[in-house]
Amino acid sequence: VPRNYDPALHPFEVAREYTRALNATKLERVFAKPFLSSLDGHRDGVNCMAKHPKSLSTVLSGACDGEVKIWNLTKRQCIRTIQAHEGFVRGMCARFCGTSFFTVGDDKTIKQWKMESPEYGEEEEPIHTILGKTVYTGIDHHWKEPVFATCGHQVDIWDEQRTSPKCSLTWGFDSISSVKFNPIETYLLGSCASDRNIVLYDMRKSTPLKKVILNMRTNTLCWNPMEAFIFTAANEDYNLYTFDMRFLESPVMVHMDHVSAVLDVDYSPTGKEFVSASFDKSIRIFPVDKGHSREVYHTKRMQHVITVKWTSDNKYILCGSDEMNIRLWKANASEKLGVLAPREKAAMNYNQKLKEKFQFHPQIRRIAQHRHLPKSIYCQIKEQRIMREARRRKELNRRKHSKPGSVPFVPERKKHIVAVVK
């Protein structure tokens, strides 16, 4: 019998650690209470949100009745309300310095507003108003320069000092639903159109770079704030696709878990995870390199989630939904908020390492992965699993009864791509 005579090493060390890991995993599920509060005050569905670039406690939201509200997250209350547009507020973004913000709406206007409330006796009026020819569906501001981009039936690049766009970029004729600037390579833009395209542009050129056509329409995309070439697209076919901009032939990863169209996506500031909002009344948190979500958040009252944002301190998630509420969630469901004592921190880190060490143990894995789901989502997941299995079986049978090599193997990543045009 091999014996270890070192008195510092206990013979039952692994068994002890396993028990501790099991208890830590169970306690993590016990303390997982991610929902913090709901910000209510809108009189119509929340359609878009924007983060303040300098202040963590400020967030802006626009509703379907043209109202824009500015919220203070520490007090959890609305500090200012503006009737900005007639009809929907389609998009909004803050200027990189945080002194003003832009909104676009169904009334064909782009408006720039001051971030501070007006002085006593002053009117609540925009700094600039630009009247366009068509409805604008989205807006995004450059990360370093006084330049912003809008999208509608084409992508327009505007200088803040001018009332006409300095250049317009088109490729095909269709309505473009969202446009986003790359936070690292700040001259790059990505846009999603309703003819199933994702188009990439370079501001320094007057022509688009390349586009990828998917099976179904992409609702929006978000660039990874840490890796310049990576972006994630939220699609109508219930999946999210993470692409490397240089190799659009197949996505880096297909993220599946939603059971309805994915409407919005936002990256965490670390670039390691992103959060997605879906029509199936839930939001999910995905690690960038995994195909399945690590977390799903839902409440009984929450309806179709239209917009979602991950705060810049990597601690919270905000989501805006159809039934007029903005909800504040913890990014890490069982995290303890507030100041931690040194011993608490040490215990937390120790437990985290234990959970990582034993994460593939069947018992621990089962407890860590279990999530309660609403009945509707649970039933749809089951139904889709059966459909997937049937498709797989059909393909296997086809392959079995065909000439060898006549039915090619198509990997899951390539199934959803129609073409790449350069």
Side-chain angles (χ1 to χ4, degrees), residues 290-331:
K290 301 271 193 310
H292 293 286
S293 61
R294 74 160 170 87
E295 202 63 80
V296 52
Y297 294 160
H298 53 85
T299 67
K300 271 192 180 142
R301 291 189 177 179
M302 187 155 76
Q303 293 303 310
H304 313 305
V305 193
I306 295 173
T307 172
V308 70
K309 284 275 177 273
W310 197 309
T311 56
S312 308
D313 60 350
N314 198 27
K315 275 202 186 313
Y316 307 103
I317 287 167
L318 289 147
C319 70
S321 50
D322 252 359
E323 73 330 317
M324 307 180 265
N325 278 352
I326 295 166
R327 287 183 174 77
L328 183 65
W329 307 84
K330 288 192 236 175

Side-chain angles (χ1 to χ4, degrees), residues 149-362:
T150 60
C151 60
H153 71 110
Q154 62 189 20
V155 172
D156 292 329
I157 312 286
W158 304 75
D159 197 310
E160 281 180 17
Q161 265 68 46
R162 292 167 59 180
T163 54
S164 57
K166 60 179 195 177
C167 77
S168 296
L169 305 157
T170 53
W171 192 348
F173 299 93
D174 220 321
S175 56
I176 296 162
S177 55
S178 88
V179 61
K180 291 279 166 72
F181 273 102
N182 191 322
I184 305 167
E185 296 291 336
T186 49
Y187 290 105
L188 294 176
L189 298 105
S191 77
C192 315
S194 55
D195 56 357
R196 305 175 304 165
N197 292 345
I198 300 172
V199 189
L200 301 173
Y201 310 93
D202 191 332
M203 231 168 65
R204 295 162 292 191
K205 288 183 176 178
S206 53
T207 54
L209 294 174
K210 48 185 168 181
K211 69 174 172 182
V212 56
I213 306 169
L214 281 82
N215 270 333
M216 287 179 87
R217 193 182 76 183
T218 302
N219 287 314
T220 182
L221 60 88
C222 186
W223 293 94
N224 190 325
M226 287 292 163
E227 298 181 59
F229 299 114
I230 306 290
F231 65 90
T232 296
N235 205 285
E236 284 279 318
D237 63 0
Y238 316 168
N239 298 341
L240 293 113
Y241 301 100
T242 298
F243 282 97
D244 188 323
M245 184 189 135
R246 299 160 295 182
F247 317 109
L248 291 176
E249 287 72 31
S250 79
V252 182
M253 186 57 74
V254 180
H255 308 274
M256 309 172 145
D257 259 345
H258 281 296
V259 291
S260 192
V262 189
L263 300 180
D264 199 11
V265 57
D266 193 37
Y267 263 94
S268 77
T270 58
K272 290 187 175 175
E273 293 180 318
F274 59 84
V275 58
S276 63
S278 169
F279 200 73
D280 63 16
K281 308 178 189 177
S282 70
I283 60 175
R284 285 181 183 266
I285 301 172
F286 290 88
V288 172
D289 51 353
K290 301 271 193 310
H292 293 286
S293 61
R294 74 160 170 87
E295 202 63 80
V296 52
Y297 294 160
H298 53 85
T299 67
K300 271 192 180 142
R301 291 189 177 179
M302 187 155 76
Q303 293 303 310
H304 313 305
V305 193
I306 295 173
T307 172
V308 70
K309 284 275 177 273
W310 197 309
T311 56
S312 308
D313 60 350
N314 198 27
K315 275 202 186 313
Y316 307 103
I317 287 167
L318 289 147
C319 70
S321 50
D322 252 359
E323 73 330 317
M324 307 180 265
N325 278 352
I326 295 166
R327 287 183 174 77
L328 183 65
W329 307 84
K330 288 192 236 175
N332 190 354
S334 56
E335 184 180 27
K336 187 184 168 195
L337 298 179
V339 182
L340 293 178
R343 286 181 65 178
E344 277 183 305
K345 268 188 192 162
M348 225 171 62
N349 293 338
Y350 177 57
N351 285 344
Q352 189 57 39
K353 282 292 166 217
L354 283 179
K355 282 184 286 194
E356 279 172 25
K357 182 175 175 180
F358 292 98
Q359 62 185 341
F360 297 114
H361 236 273

Side-chain angles (χ1 to χ4, degrees), residues 51-111:
K51 290 185 283 198
H52 192 294
K54 297 277 194 257
S55 151
L56 283 173
S57 61
T58 312
V59 69
L60 307 106
S61 64
C64 298
D65 57 354
E67 203 173 54
V68 168
K69 280 185 183 284
I70 300 178
W71 304 86
N72 185 334
L73 292 181
T74 41
K75 294 180 185 163
R76 297 186 189 171
Q77 64 191 42
C78 175
I79 49 177
R80 187 172 160 210
T81 304
I82 307 163
Q83 186 58 45
H85 294 278
E86 305 284 323
F88 284 35
V89 180
R90 286 288 172 193
M92 60 196 310
C93 66
R95 200 170 184 272
F96 60 90
C97 60
T99 53
S100 63
F101 64 95
F102 295 83
T103 60
V104 292
D106 273 356
D107 51 3
K108 304 183 184 177
T109 55
I110 305 166
K111 292 184 181 177

